[in-house]
Amino acid sequence: MKFLSGVIALSSGLWMHVYVYGLENTSSAAFNGIFYFYAFCLFILGIVSIYRSFNEKK
């Protein structure tokens, strides 16, 4: 289950980076720089979750 959570967090984090990049480049009023931090945290959470799922199997 941790592996699946990690994969979902990684893919969501990557898509959030794409979305925020698009918001920034279109000069949208909805753009907020904190979204980059959220996407980065989601990406790190996915990496940690996958790492813990592999260590749990040992």
Side-chain angles (χ1 to χ4, degrees):
M1 192 67 175
K2 287 180 187 176
F3 181 76
L4 180 61
S5 299
V7 169
I8 291 170
L10 279 177
S11 61
S12 297
L14 290 174
W15 277 113
M16 192 170 180
H17 276 291
V18 170
Y19 175 72
V20 171
Y21 180 76
L23 278 180
E24 184 180 20
N25 284 338
T26 58
S27 300
S28 175
F31 174 72
N32 191 351
I34 195 72
F35 292 144
Y36 277 123
F37 177 71
Y38 291 153
F40 180 73
C41 287
L42 196 58
F43 188 76
I44 294 299
L45 181 67
I47 291 173
V48 168
S49 183
I50 289 175
Y51 174 75
R52 289 188 67 196
S53 74
F54 283 123
N55 281 345
E56 189 176 80
K57 293 178 184 177
K58 290 181 181 179

